Amino acid sequence: MLAVQADGAHVETIEGASDSGSVSELQEAFLRHNALQCGFCTPGMLLTAQELIDAGGATSRDAVRNYISGNYCRCTGYQSIVNAVLEVAQGKDGSK
Amino acid sequence: MSKPVSFFDKPNSYIGRAVTRPNAKRLVEGRGRYVDDMTLPRMLHAAFVRSPYAHARIKSVDVSQASQAPGVIAAYDGVEIAKHITPWVGVLSHLKGLRSAPQPALAVDVARWQGEPVAMIVASSRAEAEDAAMLVEIDYEPLPEACDMEKALDKDTPVIHDEFDSNLCWERVVEAGDVDACFNDPDVTVVERTLHFGRHTGVTLEARCLIAEYDPSDDYLTIHYSGQSPHMMQAILAKHLDMREENIRFVARDVGGSFGIKIHTYGDEFAVAAVAKLLRRPIKFVADRFESFQSDIHARDHRVWGRMAVTKEGKITALEIDDLTGIGPYSVYPRSSAIECNQVLNLTGAPYDLQAYRARGRVVFQNKNVMCQYRAVGHPVAMAVGEALVDDAADAINMDPADLRARNVVPDDAYPYTSCSGMRYADLSHEQCHKKLLELMDYEGLRKQQEEGRAQGIYRGIGLASMVEVTNPGPLFYGAGGAPVSAQDGVTVRLDPAGALHVAASITEQGQGAETILAQIVADAVGVDMDRIKISTGDTLTSPYGGGTWASRATGIGGEAALLSGQALKAQILEVAATILQAKAGDLDIQDNAVVDVKTNARRIELSDLARTVYYRGNELPNESLPELIATRHFRVTDYPFVFTNGAMASYLEVDVETGLIKLLGHWVVEDCGRVINPMLVDEQIRGGVVQGIGGALFEQCIYSDDGQLLTATMADYLVPMAFEMPDIEVAHVETPTSTSVLGAKGAGEAGTGGAPAAIFNAVNDALKPLGAEKISAQPITPERVLKALGLV
């Protein structure tokens, strides 16, 4: 999406989502799984993954991998991101 | 092990534990501190006009119209910039015969690759600078280009630099043992293959960027920098801007990926620094993606012919290779563009006990973007060539490729071992890694599954790779060749009145976890909680002097310095405690932020109390007691030129023989990086590395037209691996600590990238074996190449 296409829309950034707590479980899971290294892709990954979780779509590794494709991560190799997203979607605690 | 077991086996030790990264919290909150997040007062923005030709004479550059455009403060051509920045030559004196021409920051007279900066615009905004860039009038006279590396040395190919007689940059030959006798032995079978490795690049998500800020009151230039080696950059910028090193400060905060891309000299960045000084205003430059593809260093671009001799009984006796690599028009400064070829020559076949080895490497100039060190420098090429030949040899003598590896790797009890070509290896574990890999992946089970699949027209392949990697390099790598690249690193640990430890280190953080590793080690070495440790890295003003992060060295070298400085501080603290408590230092220890009695574990004095006594109430101490509570230790690898590590890797994949598409089903890595400081971080380094290796093997390529136009300069054209195509990657370890340090840690950051292409190559060819396909020997292994191998297109 280009910025001009969001004209008039309400935009919530990762800073806003962090303050509101709407992605806090996922943020915790990302830290536990080290699902980020340089952190540059992380805001996009979090917001995309939260959308999938909220829609009830984070049902399998393939479903998560498919949904976050479109967001590049150059550091992690994606596996830890998938693990973090599934953990939150399945309501498990972090003591894997 | 040179250290008593007790230190590393202490209960509640941080070393060896998968602790999370304290500095990752701000990143998940979107509060990272990247260069582009900064806006300085009076800051300007730079944009560059880049050569549209691969090779062209610059007859004139007219910036007059651009200078008048809205928002423009200044515009410069290469001649003007050259008055403020001296050219550089990317050679190392210890690579005999290596040559390159002086490279200006912006092209002067001749542009030598498409994307080379030619003119610079500085304006109030990047948009205005870009608009004005279109008004720069440049009269080019296109010159015949030399793009194809395979023709670079032909007689009728234009020579890129007038001062040289050919496009040869460097050549090296290795000859060890009686190679001809081994290959002519009537009892051996000889296999032969030529492999091609396409160019790819790092695609750091945060592009190259900097803000240069000049303070005329102190003649002081501050560079807010996204990169890996602040002290090296300080030294070379000072040299070419003719400033004193101490008047330049490089400071890197969060870095959005680097992978070797952000450790080289880029003319556009140096021009920004020079002009910030001229204009006395801060200037920001952030490369856009198009510029990144055209000007970030590229990597690989090798053609390697190789042959291997193997006896019927499965003894590999000899290996011969010939590597040709194209590096663009200049050897990159200051690390040179010959290192990758050098590594290919040093490392091909390195896991195996050979009787004879011959290698020739030639590095050639060409009119394409410059090529230089990117993650795993040379390893993906060396491992893919060696491992492809091992698989070919196994086929030729009808032996299982896992068996052939097991019979030929240097045995674990052979160390220290010197190869026939004189490479010295210590503390490696090929046999254990190979064995563990086969168990981890269930090799037998997968072979059975593969057999069953074939009966149903499903073509799956298993690819194995044994690896040797160069980590923790010593001064012979760069410094000995004249580059201002430090092989030693330092760590300072200071106890503050609140009981916190401030740690300043010369290794740098790019997200791989260097700061966490430092905190774990210092916490254990001193005896404090990790959350009382503050780390600072990346700042030439405040950190000890050192090399930074590259060549898988941060943990091995910086970690050792951290351990030694932590232990030194602890000794100081105990000395003070002994004075205060009227005890013997030897009867005291530090645990959980307090000095304790060794025998009873009773808490005697909190570290915060001790520090406050020293800093605020010195009157309570004897006059001769002047404690420092700060310690710095440096470390470099001695005795060996670098610390070799090893590992073994496997890929399992399925090839759709109608479409040529490859589906990755599984990937396994067993790595021996010595002592594991943080199993989670090291595993994630390996996984991320594997995916970058897979990118090169299957997807990524900088494709040029015959006349040197980059055809893949957008993310739509250049394929970076995404989540859906990637497999889960299982990682396991064998831990053989290096005897070169107390900590025993070797590097691990490049292992995945180094080995993955070898495993993928072998797996694809294994999958296609029953179809009588020609062996695929070029990466990226695109569907087209698969279909060609099958004779379908």
Side-chain angles (χ1 to χ4, degrees):
Chain A
M1 179 187 255
L2 300 171
V4 288
Q5 292 173 282
D7 187 28
H10 173 84
V11 176
E12 187 179 25
T13 64
I14 186 65
E15 289 90 341
S18 296
D19 288 344
S20 74
S22 62
V23 291
S24 60
E25 274 188 77
L26 207 48
Q27 286 169 323
E28 290 296 320
F30 267 53
L31 292 175
R32 275 198 304 276
H33 288 271
N34 201 48
L36 71 153
Q37 288 180 33
C38 82
F40 214 74
C41 74
T42 310
M45 284 292 183
L46 286 166
L47 296 177
T48 305
Q50 189 66 50
E51 195 174 60
L52 180 66
I53 292 169
D54 291 345
T59 51
S60 68
R61 301 188 76 76
D62 270 0
V64 175
R65 284 185 177 276
N66 192 30
Y67 200 78
I68 63 173
S69 288
N71 288 57
Y72 292 112
C73 171
R74 201 55 166 153
C75 299
T76 63
Y78 300 106
Q79 185 170 335
S80 52
I81 298 176
V82 176
N83 291 344
V85 172
L86 279 175
E87 184 180 282
V88 172
Q90 294 164 0
K92 289 179 188 164
D93 77 359
S95 52
K96 194 181 144 189
Chain B
M1 230 179 295
S2 56
K3 188 70 195 159
V5 181
S6 58
F7 176 76
F8 293 107
D9 289 349
K10 275 198 305 199
N12 306 319
S13 164
Y14 290 107
I15 294 175
R17 250 165 70 194
V19 297
T20 59
R21 286 161 48 210
N23 61 354
K25 189 166 179 292
R26 66 170 179 267
L27 301 179
V28 297
E29 292 174 350
R31 300 184 218 277
R33 305 174 300 198
Y34 305 98
V35 168
D36 202 23
D37 291 325
M38 293 181 65
T39 301
L40 300 181
R42 302 174 68 243
M43 189 173 81
L44 302 171
H45 298 261
F48 292 87
V49 181
R50 295 175 186 275
S51 171
Y53 296 102
H55 199 194
R57 190 167 306 288
I58 301 167
K59 293 168 75 178
S60 67
V61 180
D62 181 357
V63 297
S64 57
Q65 225 188 318
S67 305
Q68 302 304 313
V72 171
I73 304 297
Y76 304 91
D77 62 10
V79 174
E80 193 57 35
I81 291 293
K83 292 175 185 166
H84 308 284
I85 309 175
T86 55
W88 46 83
V89 183
V91 295
L92 295 168
S93 61
H94 64 322
L95 298 183
K96 224 166 89 186
L98 173 62
R99 63 185 186 179
S100 188
Q103 181 181 4
L106 266 56
V108 176
D109 297 336
V110 178
R112 293 187 171 86
W113 86 87
Q114 185 228 2
E116 183 176 6
V118 175
M120 176 187 186
I121 310 289
V122 181
S124 300
S125 69
R126 168 80 185 197
E128 288 167 319
E130 286 186 15
D131 286 350
M134 293 166 72
L135 302 174
V136 177
E137 285 187 19
I138 305 172
D139 189 7
Y140 292 103
E141 177 196 338
L143 297 171
E145 58 282 305
C147 293
D148 184 349
M149 74 174 183
E150 305 213 23
K151 293 181 186 154
L153 300 176
D154 291 357
K155 272 202 190 100
D156 48 355
T157 298
V159 174
I160 293 173
H161 297 291
D162 293 341
E163 56 265 62
F164 300 144
D165 56 346
S166 76
N167 288 321
L168 185 69
C169 168
W170 188 60
E171 179 166 3
R172 182 187 165 203
V173 174
V174 179
E175 177 94 27
D178 195 339
V179 179
D180 292 329
C182 285
F183 278 105
N184 294 334
D185 182 343
D187 287 339
V188 303
T189 303
V190 176
V191 292
E192 183 177 335
R193 190 127 62 113
T194 300
L195 288 95
H196 294 262
F197 298 85
R199 275 184 170 232
H200 49 259
T201 186
V203 196
T204 57
L205 293 193
E206 179 201 37
R208 287 192 294 112
C209 53
L210 77 160
I211 300 171
E213 180 188 9
Y214 180 69
D215 179 353
S217 68
D218 282 331
D219 182 31
Y220 199 81
L221 187 59
T222 301
I223 310 291
H224 303 278
Y225 160 71
S226 172
Q228 307 170 225
S229 190
H231 280 119
M232 181 197 88
M233 295 305 296
Q234 177 191 44
I236 58 177
L237 185 65
K239 180 174 176 190
H240 294 282
L241 259 53
D242 193 22
M243 290 180 68
R244 290 187 162 185
E245 281 180 32
E246 62 270 30
N247 284 12
I248 293 181
R249 175 188 184 190
F250 270 79
V251 50
R253 301 175 88 189
D254 289 319
V255 174
S258 50
F259 318 116
I261 300 300
K262 297 174 178 173
I263 199 161
H264 309 294
T265 307
Y266 292 97
D268 46 21
E269 296 178 12
F270 273 35
V272 167
V275 172
K277 189 180 171 197
L278 277 180
L279 297 179
R280 302 185 173 193
R281 289 182 69 174
I283 301 177
K284 177 187 278 188
F285 168 63
V286 182
D288 65 24
R289 192 55 64 186
F290 193 56
E291 293 181 289
S292 299
F293 277 117
Q294 294 181 89
S295 64
D296 287 8
I297 57 109
H298 291 176
R300 322 307 177 216
D301 208 4
H302 291 252
R303 182 208 68 196
V304 188
W305 167 85
R307 62 174 179 156
M308 181 176 269
V310 61
T311 67
K312 290 175 192 67
E313 296 74 34
K315 172 66 193 156
I316 298 169
T317 58
L319 173 65
E320 178 175 7
I321 62 160
D322 189 322
D323 178 25
L324 176 70
T325 177
I327 57 151
Y330 298 98
S331 172
V332 174
Y333 184 69
R335 291 167 185 254
S336 94
S337 301
I339 295 291
E340 178 147 286
C341 174
N342 201 40
Q343 301 270 65
V344 172
L345 267 55
N346 284 345
L347 297 173
T348 303
Y352 304 103
D353 183 27
L354 300 171
Q355 293 166 20
Y357 178 58
R358 177 187 289 150
R360 177 174 71 152
R362 284 171 302 162
V363 177
V364 298
F365 296 118
Q366 58 184 168
N367 291 115
K368 289 181 181 176
N369 184 16
V370 291
M371 194 282 282
C372 200
Q373 282 81 292
Y374 164 59
R375 194 174 196 176
V377 191
H379 293 70
V381 176
M383 299 309 137
V385 171
E387 296 304 296
L389 289 170
V390 170
D391 266 29
D392 289 353
D395 281 350
I397 60 167
N398 206 16
M399 181 178 277
D400 186 296
D403 287 349
L404 186 60
R405 284 180 173 80
R407 284 162 191 258
N408 286 281
V409 289
V410 177
D412 292 359
D413 61 6
Y415 300 100
Y417 167 89
T418 303
S419 76
C420 67
S421 58
M423 303 296 282
R424 290 161 63 224
Y425 301 102
D427 313 315
L428 301 188
S429 57
H430 288 296
E431 289 177 321
Q432 283 178 79
C433 285
H434 179 69
K435 187 164 174 283
K436 197 164 181 174
L437 177 73
L438 299 184
E439 290 163 10
L440 189 70
M441 67 192 284
D442 183 18
Y443 183 71
E444 295 303 324
L446 287 185
R447 282 285 177 215
K448 206 189 261 175
Q449 210 183 86
Q450 178 186 39
E451 236 2 88
E452 289 162 6
R454 282 174 177 171
Q456 302 161 37
I458 295 167
Y459 295 95
R460 293 183 168 181
I462 299 166
L464 301 174
S466 287
M467 312 176 280
V468 163
E469 304 130 41
V470 167
T471 74
N472 301 4
L476 288 174
F477 214 41
Y478 291 116
V485 174
S486 176
Q488 62 82 57
D489 273 273
V491 173
T492 296
V493 185
R494 181 183 83 209
L495 176 65
D496 275 8
L501 296 183
H502 279 251
V503 176
S506 58
I507 60 166
T508 56
E509 172 79 273
Q510 284 92 53
Q512 80 278 38
E515 294 192 357
T516 307
I517 297 290
L518 290 171
Q520 287 180 259
I521 294 168
V522 169
D524 276 358
V526 179
V528 302
D529 291 343
M530 245 182 90
D531 70 354
R532 296 312 310 275
I533 293 181
K534 285 284 178 196
I535 309 273
S536 107
T537 60
D539 189 342
T540 55
L541 190 65
T542 58
S543 83
Y545 202 91
T549 295
W550 42 275
S552 300
R553 66 190 296 285
T555 298
I557 295 175
E560 179 75 357
L563 178 64
L564 300 177
S565 63
Q567 288 174 333
L569 177 68
K570 179 178 179 175
Q572 289 183 21
I573 292 170
L574 293 181
E575 203 59 41
V576 180
T579 304
I580 294 172
L581 300 170
Q582 300 194 334
K584 283 186 189 151
D587 294 338
L588 302 171
D589 192 11
I590 304 174
Q591 280 173 21
D592 302 332
N593 315 312
V595 175
V596 300
D597 188 294
V598 167
K599 283 184 194 132
T600 65
N601 268 356
R603 291 173 87 84
R604 300 291 307 275
I605 181 170
E606 299 296 316
L607 291 189
S608 52
D609 284 351
L610 178 142
R612 281 197 294 263
T613 305
V614 168
Y615 292 129
Y616 303 149
R617 304 189 306 275
N619 55 299
E620 294 176 11
L621 298 171
N623 285 349
E624 64 276 15
S625 173
L626 277 171
E628 294 190 329
L629 302 187
I630 184 169
T632 301
R633 289 293 183 273
H634 289 250
F635 178 72
R636 73 170 198 279
V637 171
T638 50
D639 301 335
Y640 286 86
F642 12 71
V643 175
F644 282 110
T645 73
N646 69 289
M649 199 181 282
S651 164
Y652 186 49
L653 53 76
E654 184 174 318
V655 182
D656 183 325
V657 295
E658 285 173 358
T659 62
L661 287 166
I662 292 165
K663 184 167 174 52
L664 302 173
L665 303 172
H667 205 101
W668 298 265
V669 184
V670 179
E671 171 70 6
D672 187 344
C673 59
R675 188 179 312 287
V676 171
I677 311 301
N678 186 318
M680 176 167 70
L681 299 190
V682 79
D683 287 2
E684 285 302 297
Q685 279 296 295
I686 287 167
R687 289 195 179 96
V690 164
V691 167
Q692 268 179 345
I694 291 172
L698 295 181
F699 303 106
E700 299 180 41
Q701 190 172 16
C702 303
I703 301 172
Y704 279 88
S705 66
D706 290 345
D707 59 352
Q709 295 290 314
L710 182 61
L711 305 176
T712 50
T714 71
M715 297 302 285
D717 301 306
Y718 184 96
L719 304 182
V720 168
M722 284 205 262
F724 195 68
E725 294 96 32
M726 291 302 107
D728 279 337
I729 298 159
E730 209 171 325
V731 182
H733 298 273
V734 169
E735 290 188 58
T736 314
T738 169
S739 45
T740 57
S741 69
V742 178
L743 187 64
K746 309 171 188 170
E750 300 170 285
T753 310
I760 299 278
F761 259 123
N762 284 345
V764 171
N765 285 318
D766 185 51
L768 299 182
K769 205 188 298 182
L771 297 169
E774 235 179 83
K775 290 238 176 174
I776 294 179
S777 300
Q779 75 167 46
I781 306 171
T782 57
E784 187 188 352
R785 282 177 168 150
V786 172
L787 296 178
K788 272 187 181 156
L790 289 167
L792 295 175
V793 290

